[in-house]
Amino acid sequence: MFTRRQFFTIGAGGTTLLLLDRVGGSVRTACAAIPGGTLDPLGVDKYVTPLLVPPAMPRAGEITLHGGRFTDCYEIAVRQFAQQILPPSYPATTVWGYGPKVAQGEPRIFHAPSLTIEAEYERPVRIKWINELVDAGGNYLPHLLPVDQTLHWANPPGGTAGRDMRPELEETPGPYTGPVPIVTHVHGAVRVGDESDGYPEAWYLPAAANIPPGFATRGTWYDFFAAKALAKFGVTWGPGFAIAQYPNAGRASTEWYHDHTLGMTRANVYAGPAGFYLVRGGQSDLVLDARTHRPAVLPGPAPSRGDAPDIHYREIPIAIQDRSFNSDGSLFYPGTRAFFDGVTGPFIPQTDVPPLWNPEFFGNMIMVNGTTWPFLAVKQRRYRFRFLNGCQSRFLILDFNRIPAVEVWMIGNEGGFLDSPVNLTATNGNRLLMAPAERADLIVDFGRVPKGRHILANVGPDEPFRGGAPGVDFDPADAASTGQIMAFDVMHAPGCDHSTPPRFLLLPPAPPPLREDRARALVLGEVMSARFPDAPVAAMLGRSRDGEVELLTWEDDVTENPQVGDTEVWELHNLTGDAHPIHIHETLFEVVNRKALDIEASPGGQLPPLVGAARPPEPWETGYKDTVIAYPGEVTRIRARFATAGQYVWHCHILEHEDNEMMRAYRIGPVQRGQPT
């Protein structure tokens, strides 16, 4: 077990880094308070609203590239609107979301989470991402949520000279109230150029009429990437928008898109902008039936463009997020550090504690596809559900045990299909752990489930996850609120289910592992306040240099620089008390193994030695992934090939960590001529 009570000093700067202290007994750490806004989750009715199945995003058109290749084109805007997230008896909630600015003869639906982009293998998708966070008069809309100006963030008020920096302050600032920057990242996209990846410093403000004088209207890397996009694709960026192109050259998989603005991702994504991006086709999408060696039949249909109304879908993307609300229906997100651990100041610049940033946040209600605790009517058939953990900090443990006689199989994760189907009912107690940003492609068989309402539960913790089992190593989520996700209303279905039983599925093989060119020893750390006891002030990434731990900030020089075509093993040494979901942009990777660190044997500032036998990846971690759980007190090894030259990032996908230094730039290949420094 671990505690946040032992620290040591690294380097001349005297940085205090959390290390693990192995103790017996219970887990004791500081964690976020579960209460949220003024709306009590126990008073909110459950299972009164049907689950929204996200429609397919309408295209703006298509173009033909040189050589006759077709490219699907979209114009997608981010707007502010009201949405009925809570049951109909409650007020609507003001949110942000993506939607089609231009649609070929189809409705222009804006929703949070947003419509699903359907992509085909090796058929490029070009998207004009537009920031329309303006009112009817064309003036900018301020943020819906508190934004801490003491972090290393986009910082538009700093102007061109001060943008993308941690500002120098003489007094503690209040929340940011200016125009909102955005930049969109397609999470899981591979072989995508850095100009299209959603780099955190490539943000842009809306083309509003009242941008304050002196504000930077675009991030440090925006102009450089605009020039690259013009040279590569012949497209021109302009005020309030950027144009990205995605080659869809990876495996058929479940990807998703969301905002990625420097130091503001937690607030921007919490406000709503996110959606699924599904890649289909190619050899990696060819599933066979072991009985006939002919193509298998997976549950369907899935939503597609031009669908008629009232289709009963049997392939459904499901985004699970946690939120808190006020009694007027508005979103609640903490606007003071005191919400987390009671620290009331003084704050930066008088001390080292940010005034608004919370190290983690756990909403006290569960929202699924934009509705709190919905229900889905299903037949006694097999269904394919593409689950996404879209929570800020919360690790979910999906628990199907309240659905009698259900059988659950996992067939894919972030990087596409697994090596073989995994029977979660038989091998994992009908449960599945999902970290923030992880996806799970499941086949859920309701064929023998009795008619009636059955609940999908969550037994993950209402606090930071550290590994272990619910009820043994931590308390499960509150059974009356965050311990429930959604309901399945099972109906009788006469006749046969013509989909292939999962046990007979032959999944397409993943590419074989490549020769490793090098290994990198990387570090996950947490910095504690020098003023307030047991108060985290930042989460950080770093490396080991000759056994010495070196923590690095966002502004430090790039230290991870694989060459184009290299295959590397990244060894993630987690020296914190919590598990972290680590995401690497541009590439997919294999989970190699995990091994314990001997924390007690480590002198201050030294990388702990390894101890014990290596643990192989879990069965549902086979194939390729883009997000991996790095457990506390362990090294997690992943193997990745880096194929596309450019500037990218790797980071923790606990959004509160990502926004406060737990993100680092990395570069594939040489420095680009003319790139920002």
Side-chain angles (χ1 to χ4, degrees), residues 240-252:
F241 70 90
I243 302 174
Q245 186 156 312
Y246 308 96
N248 302 312
R251 306 179 75 208

Side-chain angles (χ1 to χ4, degrees), residues 180-259:
V180 176
I182 68 163
V183 61
T184 301
H185 167 57
V186 175
H187 184 127
V190 298
R191 306 290 179 89
V192 64
D194 56 356
E195 81 290 331
S196 300
D197 187 56
Y199 193 71
E201 292 185 3
W203 53 265
Y204 43 96
L205 300 183
N210 62 335
I211 301 295
F215 270 47
T217 59
R218 54 195 184 272
T220 304
W221 282 73
Y222 179 95
D223 289 341
F224 176 75
F225 286 148
K228 285 192 70 174
L230 177 61
K232 289 176 68 174
F233 312 124
V235 297
T236 301
W237 296 11
F241 70 90
I243 302 174
Q245 186 156 312
Y246 308 96
N248 302 312
R251 306 179 75 208
S253 59
T254 304
E255 301 170 7
W256 64 302
Y257 59 99
H258 60 79
D259 179 78

